Amino acid sequence: MDFIDLKAQQRRIKGQLDKNIQRVLEHGSYIMGPEVKELENKLASYVGVQHAVACASGTDALLMALMACDIGPGDAVFTTPFTFISTAEVISLLGATPVFVDIDPATYNIDPAKLSSAITALRANDPALYPLPKAPSSPPAGEGKGEGVHLRPRCVIPVDLFGLPADYDAITSIARDNGLFIIEDAAQSLGAEYKEKKAGSLGDIGCTSFFPAKPLGAYGDGGMCFTDDDTIAAVLDSIRVHGKGSNKYENTRIGINGRLDTLQAAVLLAKFDIFADEVERRQIVSQRYTTLLSPPSSPRVPSVPPGARSVWAQYSLLAKNEGQRAKIMDRLKAEGIPSVIYYPQIGRAHV
Ligand SMILES: *Cc1c(COP(=O)(O)O)cnc(C)c1O
């Protein structure tokens, strides 16, 4: 019982898939072959941005985006706690501090009003205004004397959870007022829309994932950064290959090995041919769920705000309590419909 039926999808694209893979086996450019650039061009134009930089995973896309913004120790990065670990992990990995901002319960995405409060609290260093992290992951040299934690507000990473874009009009206006960079975590939302714009184009940098179960999935790991900014695109391109300069043995900054495999690009090109059609079909299926699940049957169905279009990476139900949740999951299972808890809280780390 697969959560996403990749076998049925494969039957639809088998001919093109085989052709694309065969082409890679023939030219043999397994690293940064022509399929990578072709995919970047197609997706940049689909998302509606100037530049796309393919990379090894959605996590690397987020990491490269933060590195391109020069995020590090002493920097506060606002994000939502309701997400996959990657979003916060990459912030900590760079020595910056995640500042968690609660969600809007109607959409499950970061609440712009609370983002505003969290920025104010951070600037005033007053956790009475909004809960703040107790200590930065690594205090900046010469700052944070005594118990005061002096973090610089630098960036916000909204997550388009379950495929629904966050409220970017409100987020952008707050970010511009406060000099924050916006990195859109579009790992789940490629194909979604917000006010006629495509997910991936809604921040200064958009980051998506090609993990097999994502709306556009490869047959392995993959990811991509999107931006309209020429300078950022060039920096991302450099970070992706060990901070390369004019060639890969001239290293002008610290980077990573973050390339997308040519074979995955070839797979994604075959899948992209039917992607727009799949996105349309997801609308029909989700509409059917919503109609059939609507009251009085009572788990809460997702609401999509006006002007937004979800790509339904997941169709989520909110149960009243754990008892109701268990019953719903049992019923679904009996009908052969897979369901999982997004995201389970499995105890707490003892540190
Ligand atoms: C899947 C996911 C990621 C990470 O993508 P990978 O390709 O698995 O590294 C990041 N953020 C969110 C919200 C995700 O769902």
CSV table of all heavy atoms in Angstrom, one decimal, residues 54-100:
chain,number,residue,atom,x,y,z
A,54,ALA,N,20.2,23.3,-9.8
A,54,ALA,CA,19.8,22.0,-9.3
A,54,ALA,C,20.8,21.5,-8.3
A,54,ALA,O,22.0,21.9,-8.4
A,54,ALA,CB,19.8,21.0,-10.5
A,55,CYS,N,20.4,20.7,-7.4
A,55,CYS,CA,21.4,20.2,-6.3
A,55,CYS,C,20.9,18.9,-5.8
A,55,CYS,O,20.0,18.3,-6.3
A,55,CYS,CB,21.5,21.3,-5.2
A,55,CYS,SG,20.0,21.5,-4.3
A,56,ALA,N,21.7,18.4,-4.8
A,56,ALA,CA,21.6,17.0,-4.5
A,56,ALA,C,20.4,16.6,-3.6
A,56,ALA,O,20.0,15.4,-3.5
A,56,ALA,CB,22.9,16.5,-3.8
A,57,SER,N,19.7,17.6,-3.0
A,57,SER,CA,18.6,17.3,-2.2
A,57,SER,C,17.9,18.6,-1.8
A,57,SER,O,18.4,19.7,-2.0
A,57,SER,CB,19.0,16.5,-0.9
A,57,SER,OG,19.7,17.4,0.0
A,58,GLY,N,16.7,18.5,-1.2
A,58,GLY,CA,16.0,19.6,-0.7
A,58,GLY,C,16.7,20.2,0.5
A,58,GLY,O,16.8,21.5,0.6
A,59,THR,N,17.4,19.4,1.3
A,59,THR,CA,18.1,19.8,2.4
A,59,THR,C,19.3,20.7,1.9
A,59,THR,O,19.6,21.7,2.5
A,59,THR,CB,18.6,18.6,3.2
A,59,THR,OG1,17.5,17.8,3.5
A,59,THR,CG2,19.3,19.1,4.5
A,60,ASP,N,20.0,20.2,0.9
A,60,ASP,CA,21.1,20.9,0.3
A,60,ASP,C,20.7,22.2,-0.3
A,60,ASP,O,21.4,23.3,-0.2
A,60,ASP,CB,21.9,20.1,-0.7
A,60,ASP,CG,23.0,19.2,-0.1
A,60,ASP,OD1,23.1,19.2,1.1
A,60,ASP,OD2,23.6,18.5,-0.9
A,61,ALA,N,19.5,22.2,-0.9
A,61,ALA,CA,19.0,23.5,-1.4
A,61,ALA,C,18.8,24.5,-0.3
A,61,ALA,O,19.2,25.7,-0.5
A,61,ALA,CB,17.6,23.2,-2.1
A,62,LEU,N,18.3,24.1,0.8
A,62,LEU,CA,18.1,25.1,1.9
A,62,LEU,C,19.4,25.5,2.5
A,62,LEU,O,19.7,26.7,2.8
A,62,LEU,CB,17.3,24.4,3.0
A,62,LEU,CG,15.8,24.2,2.7
A,62,LEU,CD1,15.2,23.2,3.7
A,62,LEU,CD2,15.0,25.5,2.8
A,63,LEU,N,20.3,24.5,2.6
A,63,LEU,CA,21.7,24.8,3.1
A,63,LEU,C,22.4,25.8,2.2
A,63,LEU,O,22.9,26.8,2.7
A,63,LEU,CB,22.5,23.5,3.2
A,63,LEU,CG,23.9,23.6,3.7
A,63,LEU,CD1,23.9,24.1,5.2
A,63,LEU,CD2,24.7,22.3,3.6
A,64,MET,N,22.4,25.6,0.9
A,64,MET,CA,23.0,26.4,-0.1
A,64,MET,C,22.4,27.8,0.0
A,64,MET,O,23.1,28.9,-0.1
A,64,MET,CB,22.9,25.8,-1.5
A,64,MET,CG,23.9,24.7,-1.7
A,64,MET,SD,23.5,23.6,-3.1
A,64,MET,CE,23.2,24.8,-4.4
A,65,ALA,N,21.1,27.9,0.1
A,65,ALA,CA,20.4,29.2,0.2
A,65,ALA,C,20.9,30.0,1.4
A,65,ALA,O,21.2,31.2,1.3
A,65,ALA,CB,18.9,29.0,0.2
A,66,LEU,N,20.9,29.3,2.5
A,66,LEU,CA,21.4,30.0,3.8
A,66,LEU,C,22.9,30.5,3.6
A,66,LEU,O,23.2,31.6,4.0
A,66,LEU,CB,21.2,29.1,5.0
A,66,LEU,CG,19.8,28.9,5.5
A,66,LEU,CD1,19.8,27.9,6.6
A,66,LEU,CD2,19.2,30.2,6.1
A,67,MET,N,23.7,29.6,3.0
A,67,MET,CA,25.1,29.9,2.8
A,67,MET,C,25.2,31.1,1.8
A,67,MET,O,26.0,32.0,2.0
A,67,MET,CB,25.9,28.7,2.2
A,67,MET,CG,26.1,27.6,3.3
A,67,MET,SD,26.7,26.1,2.5
A,67,MET,CE,28.5,26.5,2.4
A,68,ALA,N,24.4,31.1,0.8
A,68,ALA,CA,24.4,32.3,-0.2
A,68,ALA,C,24.0,33.6,0.5
A,68,ALA,O,24.5,34.6,0.1
A,68,ALA,CB,23.5,32.0,-1.3
A,69,CYS,N,23.2,33.5,1.6
A,69,CYS,CA,22.9,34.7,2.3
A,69,CYS,C,23.8,35.0,3.4
A,69,CYS,O,23.6,35.9,4.3
A,69,CYS,CB,21.5,34.6,3.0
A,69,CYS,SG,20.2,34.2,1.8
A,70,ASP,N,24.9,34.2,3.5
A,70,ASP,CA,26.0,34.4,4.5
A,70,ASP,C,25.4,34.3,5.9
A,70,ASP,O,25.8,35.1,6.8
A,70,ASP,CB,26.6,35.7,4.3
A,70,ASP,CG,28.1,35.8,4.6
A,70,ASP,OD1,28.6,34.7,4.8
A,70,ASP,OD2,28.6,36.9,4.8
A,71,ILE,N,24.6,33.3,6.2
A,71,ILE,CA,24.0,33.1,7.5
A,71,ILE,C,24.9,32.3,8.3
A,71,ILE,O,25.5,31.3,7.9
A,71,ILE,CB,22.6,32.4,7.4
A,71,ILE,CG1,21.6,33.2,6.6
A,71,ILE,CG2,22.1,32.1,8.8
A,71,ILE,CD1,21.2,34.5,7.1
A,72,GLY,N,25.2,32.7,9.6
A,72,GLY,CA,26.1,32.0,10.5
A,72,GLY,C,25.9,32.4,11.9
A,72,GLY,O,24.8,32.9,12.3
A,73,PRO,N,26.9,32.1,12.8
A,73,PRO,CA,26.7,32.4,14.2
A,73,PRO,C,26.3,33.8,14.5
A,73,PRO,O,26.7,34.7,13.9
A,73,PRO,CB,28.1,32.1,14.7
A,73,PRO,CG,28.7,31.1,13.8
A,73,PRO,CD,28.2,31.5,12.4
A,74,GLY,N,25.3,33.9,15.4
A,74,GLY,CA,24.8,35.2,15.8
A,74,GLY,C,23.6,35.6,15.0
A,74,GLY,O,23.0,36.6,15.3
A,75,ASP,N,23.3,34.9,14.0
A,75,ASP,CA,22.1,35.2,13.2
A,75,ASP,C,20.9,34.5,13.6
A,75,ASP,O,21.0,33.3,13.9
A,75,ASP,CB,22.4,34.9,11.7
A,75,ASP,CG,23.5,35.7,11.1
A,75,ASP,OD1,23.7,36.8,11.6
A,75,ASP,OD2,24.1,35.3,10.1
A,76,ALA,N,19.7,35.2,13.7
A,76,ALA,CA,18.5,34.5,13.9
A,76,ALA,C,17.8,34.2,12.6
A,76,ALA,O,17.7,35.1,11.8
A,76,ALA,CB,17.6,35.4,14.8
A,77,VAL,N,17.3,33.0,12.5
A,77,VAL,CA,16.5,32.7,11.3
A,77,VAL,C,15.1,32.2,11.8
A,77,VAL,O,15.0,31.2,12.5
A,77,VAL,CB,17.2,31.6,10.5
A,77,VAL,CG1,16.3,31.2,9.3
A,77,VAL,CG2,18.6,32.0,10.0
A,78,PHE,N,14.1,32.9,11.4
A,78,PHE,CA,12.7,32.6,11.9
A,78,PHE,C,12.2,31.5,11.0
A,78,PHE,O,12.3,31.6,9.8
A,78,PHE,CB,11.9,33.9,11.8
A,78,PHE,CG,12.4,35.0,12.6
A,78,PHE,CD1,13.3,35.9,12.1
A,78,PHE,CD2,12.0,35.1,14.0
A,78,PHE,CE1,13.8,37.0,12.9
A,78,PHE,CE2,12.4,36.2,14.7
A,78,PHE,CZ,13.4,37.1,14.2
A,79,THR,N,11.5,30.6,11.6
A,79,THR,CA,10.9,29.5,10.8
A,79,THR,C,9.8,28.9,11.6
A,79,THR,O,9.5,29.3,12.8
A,79,THR,CB,11.9,28.5,10.3
A,79,THR,OG1,11.2,27.7,9.3
A,79,THR,CG2,12.4,27.6,11.4
A,80,THR,N,9.1,27.9,11.0
A,80,THR,CA,8.0,27.3,11.7
A,80,THR,C,8.4,26.0,12.3
A,80,THR,O,9.3,25.3,11.7
A,80,THR,CB,6.9,27.0,10.7
A,80,THR,OG1,6.0,26.0,11.2
A,80,THR,CG2,7.4,26.5,9.3
A,81,PRO,N,7.9,25.6,13.5
A,81,PRO,CA,8.2,24.3,14.0
A,81,PRO,C,7.4,23.2,13.4
A,81,PRO,O,7.8,22.0,13.6
A,81,PRO,CB,7.7,24.5,15.5
A,81,PRO,CG,6.6,25.4,15.4
A,81,PRO,CD,6.9,26.4,14.3
A,82,PHE,N,6.4,23.5,12.6
A,82,PHE,CA,5.6,22.4,12.0
A,82,PHE,C,6.1,22.2,10.6
A,82,PHE,O,5.7,22.7,9.6
A,82,PHE,CB,4.1,22.9,11.9
A,82,PHE,CG,3.1,21.7,11.6
A,82,PHE,CD1,3.6,20.4,11.5
A,82,PHE,CD2,1.8,22.0,11.5
A,82,PHE,CE1,2.7,19.4,11.2
A,82,PHE,CE2,0.9,21.0,11.2
A,82,PHE,CZ,1.3,19.7,11.1
A,83,THR,N,7.2,21.3,10.5
A,83,THR,CA,7.9,21.0,9.3
A,83,THR,C,8.7,19.8,9.4
A,83,THR,O,8.9,19.3,10.5
A,83,THR,CB,8.7,22.2,8.8
A,83,THR,OG1,9.4,21.9,7.6
A,83,THR,CG2,9.8,22.6,9.9
A,84,PHE,N,9.3,19.4,8.4
A,84,PHE,CA,10.3,18.3,8.4
A,84,PHE,C,11.6,18.9,9.0
A,84,PHE,O,11.9,20.1,8.9
A,84,PHE,CB,10.6,17.8,7.0
A,84,PHE,CG,11.5,16.6,6.9
A,84,PHE,CD1,11.3,15.5,7.6
A,84,PHE,CD2,12.7,16.8,6.2
A,84,PHE,CE1,12.2,14.4,7.5
A,84,PHE,CE2,13.6,15.7,6.1
A,84,PHE,CZ,13.3,14.5,6.8
A,85,ILE,N,12.4,18.1,9.7
A,85,ILE,CA,13.6,18.5,10.4
A,85,ILE,C,14.6,19.4,9.6
A,85,ILE,O,15.2,20.3,10.1
A,85,ILE,CB,14.3,17.3,11.0
A,85,ILE,CG1,15.6,17.7,11.8
A,85,ILE,CG2,14.8,16.3,9.9
A,85,ILE,CD1,15.3,18.3,13.1
A,86,SER,N,14.7,19.1,8.3
A,86,SER,CA,15.7,19.8,7.4
A,86,SER,C,15.6,21.3,7.6
A,86,SER,O,16.6,22.0,7.6
A,86,SER,CB,15.4,19.6,6.0
A,86,SER,OG,15.5,18.2,5.7
A,87,THR,N,14.4,21.9,7.7
A,87,THR,CA,14.2,23.3,7.7
A,87,THR,C,15.0,24.0,8.8
A,87,THR,O,15.7,25.0,8.6
A,87,THR,CB,12.7,23.7,7.8
A,87,THR,OG1,12.0,22.8,7.0
A,87,THR,CG2,12.5,25.1,7.4
A,88,ALA,N,14.9,23.4,10.0
A,88,ALA,CA,15.6,23.9,11.2
A,88,ALA,C,17.0,23.4,11.2
A,88,ALA,O,17.9,24.1,11.7
A,88,ALA,CB,14.8,23.6,12.4
A,89,GLU,N,17.2,22.2,10.8
A,89,GLU,CA,18.5,21.5,10.9
A,89,GLU,C,19.6,22.4,10.2
A,89,GLU,O,20.7,22.5,10.7
A,89,GLU,CB,18.4,20.2,10.2
A,89,GLU,CG,19.7,19.3,10.3
A,89,GLU,CD,19.5,18.0,9.5
A,89,GLU,OE1,18.7,18.0,8.5
A,89,GLU,OE2,20.0,17.0,9.9
A,90,VAL,N,19.3,22.8,9.0
A,90,VAL,CA,20.4,23.6,8.2
A,90,VAL,C,20.7,24.9,8.9
A,90,VAL,O,21.9,25.4,8.8
A,90,VAL,CB,19.9,23.8,6.7
A,90,VAL,CG1,19.9,22.5,6.0
A,90,VAL,CG2,18.6,24.5,6.7
A,91,ILE,N,19.8,25.5,9.6
A,91,ILE,CA,20.0,26.7,10.3
A,91,ILE,C,21.1,26.4,11.4
A,91,ILE,O,22.1,27.1,11.6
A,91,ILE,CB,18.7,27.3,11.0
A,91,ILE,CG1,17.7,27.6,9.9
A,91,ILE,CG2,19.1,28.5,11.8
A,91,ILE,CD1,16.3,27.9,10.5
A,92,SER,N,20.8,25.4,12.2
A,92,SER,CA,21.7,25.0,13.3
A,92,SER,C,23.1,24.5,12.7
A,92,SER,O,24.1,24.8,13.3
A,92,SER,CB,21.1,23.9,14.1
A,92,SER,OG,20.0,24.3,14.7
A,93,LEU,N,23.0,23.8,11.6
A,93,LEU,CA,24.3,23.3,11.0
A,93,LEU,C,25.3,24.5,10.7
A,93,LEU,O,26.5,24.3,10.9
A,93,LEU,CB,23.9,22.6,9.7
A,93,LEU,CG,25.0,21.7,9.1
A,93,LEU,CD1,25.4,20.6,10.0
A,93,LEU,CD2,24.5,21.1,7.8
A,94,LEU,N,24.7,25.6,10.4
A,94,LEU,CA,25.6,26.8,10.0
A,94,LEU,C,25.9,27.6,11.3
A,94,LEU,O,26.5,28.7,11.2
A,94,LEU,CB,24.9,27.6,9.0
A,94,LEU,CG,24.8,27.0,7.6
A,94,LEU,CD1,24.0,27.8,6.6
A,94,LEU,CD2,26.2,26.8,7.0
A,95,GLY,N,25.5,27.1,12.4
A,95,GLY,CA,25.8,27.9,13.7
A,95,GLY,C,24.8,29.0,14.0
A,95,GLY,O,25.0,29.8,14.9
A,96,ALA,N,23.8,29.2,13.1
A,96,ALA,CA,22.8,30.2,13.3
A,96,ALA,C,21.8,29.7,14.3
A,96,ALA,O,21.8,28.5,14.6
A,96,ALA,CB,22.2,30.7,12.0
A,97,THR,N,20.8,30.5,14.7
A,97,THR,CA,19.8,30.1,15.7
A,97,THR,C,18.4,30.1,15.1
A,97,THR,O,18.0,31.2,14.7
A,97,THR,CB,19.9,31.0,16.9
A,97,THR,OG1,21.2,30.9,17.4
A,97,THR,CG2,18.9,30.5,18.0
A,98,PRO,N,17.8,28.9,15.1
A,98,PRO,CA,16.4,29.0,14.6
A,98,PRO,C,15.5,29.6,15.7
A,98,PRO,O,15.6,29.3,16.9
A,98,PRO,CB,16.0,27.5,14.5
A,98,PRO,CG,17.1,26.7,15.1
A,98,PRO,CD,18.2,27.6,15.5
A,99,VAL,N,14.6,30.5,15.3
A,99,VAL,CA,13.6,31.1,16.2
A,99,VAL,C,12.3,30.7,15.7
A,99,VAL,O,11.8,31.0,14.6
A,99,VAL,CB,13.7,32.7,16.2
A,99,VAL,CG1,12.6,33.3,17.1
A,99,VAL,CG2,15.1,33.1,16.6
A,100,PHE,N,11.6,29.8,16.5
A,100,PHE,CA,10.4,29.2,16.0
A,100,PHE,C,9.2,30.1,16.2
A,100,PHE,O,9.0,30.7,17.3
A,100,PHE,CB,10.2,27.9,16.7
A,100,PHE,CG,11.2,26.8,16.3
A,100,PHE,CD1,12.2,26.4,17.2
A,100,PHE,CD2,11.1,26.3,15.0
A,100,PHE,CE1,13.1,25.5,16.8
A,100,PHE,CE2,12.1,25.4,14.6
A,100,PHE,CZ,13.0,24.9,15.5
